Amino acid sequence: MALELDTPALQAHLRDLAQEARDHRFDVAPNPCVGAGVLSNGKLIARGVHAHWGGPHAEVMALAAAASSGVPRAAWDALLVTLEPCSSFGKTGPCSEAIIAAGISRVVVGALDPDPRHRGRGIEALVKAGIEVINLDGSVLLKDQAPHFLRWLSIDRLRQPSPWTVAKWAQTLTGQLTPPKTSEDGQWISGPEALAEVHVLRGRVDGIMTGFGTVRADNPRLTVRSPGQRDDPPVRIVLDSDLRTPPEARLFEQPGEDEAGGPVLIFCRIGPDVGRARALEEAGAELLEVRSVNRTSLDLKAVSQRLHERGIQRLLLEAGPRLTAAMLEEGLVDQVCIYTGDMRGGEGPTLGNTLLAVRLGERRDLEVGNCSRMDAFVTLPPGSH
Ligand SMILES: NC(=O)c1ccc[n+]([C@@H]2O[C@H](COP(=O)([O-])OP(=O)(O)OC[C@H]3O[C@@H](n4cnc5c(N)ncnc54)[C@H](OP(=O)(O)O)[C@@H]3O)[C@@H](O)[C@H]2O)c1
């Protein structure tokens, strides 16, 4: 059977692979969700998805699955991929090279890379290597498949250089981020399953950011613990205008055997107290001075820009209601991940009103132990609607 002649079947396979990949959209953002499969004799003998940010790409996963499928390589008719393979180095090597190395003779592409810097380059690399490419651009519609990726590449987003920011918080049934005073000491809003997930999430970002309010209240370590991925742990970032973080804070403790902690960055206002600055630097922190707004809070756009300049692409915001609300209000949050625990009441403000002002796009609702988890993309920052 000549593959080229069976375009509708190829398109059906591409759409099927795309659907599976979409399940991972909150885990790969800002990357696009991509699916791939290896076709033999009209059937998909192997499938792969890009399952999480920083993880292997779909093509690599599908080729590895095909290699262990038992179907001989000579019987692989084509690699199907929902989006043009990448041709540049990111968190992983270029997929075009992995495809060439796999020795497959034909690649079917469901959509061209929408990024003008890369569009067509992946295909060009494959063709140069003698691989037949069937370009079925438009079979997978990126506006449906990965609208977050199109937003990430939009002119407005490129003009506001800031990391893709995931705001994560746990709230009680009434929306508070701090458990009621009556709860037992050390009691968490979310259960152990949710806490384990948070460590996985921490292992898949470049930075974790919090505010001084959380440092004062919880003295967190912001480390990655099992089951999170602990190689190259994320930078730990604190927004602390007046450098009130104590040098004895647990952030500066040596991580334990089962945990990993990245370098500590503290943002403060310009011209901080020299003594406090020196003490924190001696404790191991790097200090970054940024302008403040209203003489009270740090300029969050300036903070985000500095983080972006330092190569932080995906940032996890794990702060209290004050900084989380301010980041949402400034339009600096791209995605939310909200755990609602099985606990009533609580202390402090809720984020309900702030969320009402933000337009949330597609969402995913999951049950995690005794918590519910809601992921959603922020599609429109406040002020722009
Ligand atoms: N449930 C959860 O997921 C969760 C997560 C974290 C914390 N918490 C709880 O939240 C409570 C602390 O809340 P919080 O709101 O005080 O802490 P926060 O949001 O973590 O930190 C707020 C602090 O960040 C600093 N900051 C600097 N620039 C800012 C800006 N532009 N906008 C806002 N803040 C800025 C300010 O301190 P300076 O003026 O000193 O710079 C501000 O007081 C604690 O009870 C903690 O347990 C809950």
Side-chain angles (χ1 to χ4, degrees):
M1 176 184 61
L3 267 170
E4 308 79 317
L5 299 180
D6 202 7
T7 301
L10 293 176
Q11 287 178 317
H13 283 308
L14 283 166
R15 282 194 287 268
D16 175 31
L17 293 167
Q19 188 56 38
E20 189 179 342
R22 250 178 72 74
D23 289 346
H24 301 273
R25 61 197 183 281
F26 296 106
D27 313 308
V28 298
N31 282 354
C33 22
V34 180
V38 173
L39 202 65
S40 175
N41 238 343
K43 284 205 175 87
L44 284 178
I45 54 148
R47 307 165 74 101
V49 289
H50 180 33
H52 63 86
W53 191 79
H57 286 187
E59 300 90 317
V60 172
M61 297 298 286
L63 289 167
S68 52
S69 68
V71 178
R73 201 163 287 235
W76 300 0
D77 293 324
L79 172 75
L80 271 57
V81 56
T82 59
L83 180 68
E84 177 180 4
C86 63
S87 56
S88 56
F89 277 90
K91 287 267 169 190
T92 62
C95 286
S96 52
E97 282 182 14
I99 295 168
I100 294 164
I104 198 151
S105 60
R106 190 183 282 123
V107 174
V108 182
V109 173
L112 284 175
D113 193 329
D115 187 337
R117 296 164 296 184
H118 302 296
R119 192 178 178 84
R121 295 251 174 98
I123 290 184
E124 203 179 292
L126 298 178
V127 171
K128 241 188 207 162
I131 294 174
E132 179 193 352
V133 176
I134 301 178
N135 178 0
L136 296 182
D137 186 32
S139 304
V140 174
L141 293 176
L142 290 176
K143 72 176 180 44
D144 301 329
Q145 173 72 4
H148 66 273
F149 183 53
L150 296 180
R151 270 195 302 280
W152 175 243
L153 296 178
S154 68
I155 294 291
D156 286 350
R157 191 63 179 76
L158 292 173
R159 277 199 193 123
Q160 173 202 300
S162 59
W164 182 269
T165 300
V166 182
K168 182 239 93 184
W169 68 89
Q171 60 184 25
T172 64
L173 289 167
T174 39
Q176 276 90 2
L177 278 71
T178 305
K181 283 212 171 86
T182 49
S183 62
E184 287 163 37
D185 229 17
Q187 193 178 348
W188 297 85
I189 293 176
S190 41
E193 297 86 354
L195 292 175
E197 275 195 359
V198 169
H199 283 285
V200 173
L201 193 53
R202 283 184 180 179
R204 294 176 180 171
V205 293
D206 297 320
I208 307 171
M209 186 164 93
T210 196
F212 172 68
T214 298
V215 171
R216 179 172 48 197
D218 299 344
N219 197 7
R221 281 179 294 182
L222 303 180
T223 52
V224 184
R225 299 193 281 280
S226 182
Q229 168 60 256
R230 279 156 289 147
D231 302 337
D232 196 14
V235 177
R236 297 173 284 172
I237 304 144
V238 180
L239 269 54
D240 176 8
S241 315
D242 296 316
L243 294 184
R244 289 185 286 164
T245 298
E248 308 74 42
R250 294 172 76 203
L251 277 169
F252 303 115
E253 284 174 4
Q254 196 61 27
E257 251 178 41
D258 180 38
E259 66 179 343
V264 177
L265 286 188
I266 301 184
F267 280 95
C268 61
R269 70 173 93 245
I270 293 168
D273 179 273
V274 177
R276 286 186 196 162
R278 191 175 306 131
L280 285 169
E281 280 172 341
E282 279 169 9
E286 182 185 351
L287 307 185
L288 292 172
E289 298 179 25
V290 285
R291 60 179 177 256
S292 40
V293 283
N294 308 328
R295 294 173 177 233
T296 51
S297 326
L298 300 178
D299 181 334
L300 298 177
K301 286 209 166 86
V303 168
S304 293
Q305 184 161 350
R306 294 282 282 278
L307 292 175
H308 188 267
E309 282 162 9
R310 294 176 74 103
I312 293 187
Q313 283 187 57
R314 187 168 148 109
L315 176 73
L316 182 63
L317 177 67
E318 287 197 57
R322 199 170 151 204
L323 180 56
T324 305
M327 287 285 288
L328 281 159
E329 282 157 11
E330 285 283 334
L332 290 168
V333 173
D334 298 283
Q335 187 178 328
V336 294
C337 171
I338 307 168
Y339 289 95
T340 304
D342 187 17
M343 182 186 278
R344 286 175 199 283
E347 300 283 314
T350 75
L351 289 164
N353 283 345
T354 314
L355 275 181
L356 279 179
V358 171
R359 190 177 297 170
L360 294 182
E362 27 179 351
R363 59 187 270 180
R364 173 178 72 181
D365 293 278
L366 299 170
E367 274 183 34
V368 182
N370 64 348
C371 291
S372 67
R373 167 179 168 176
M374 193 265 270
D375 296 276
F377 290 126
V378 176
T379 56
L380 213 54
S384 48
H385 49 120

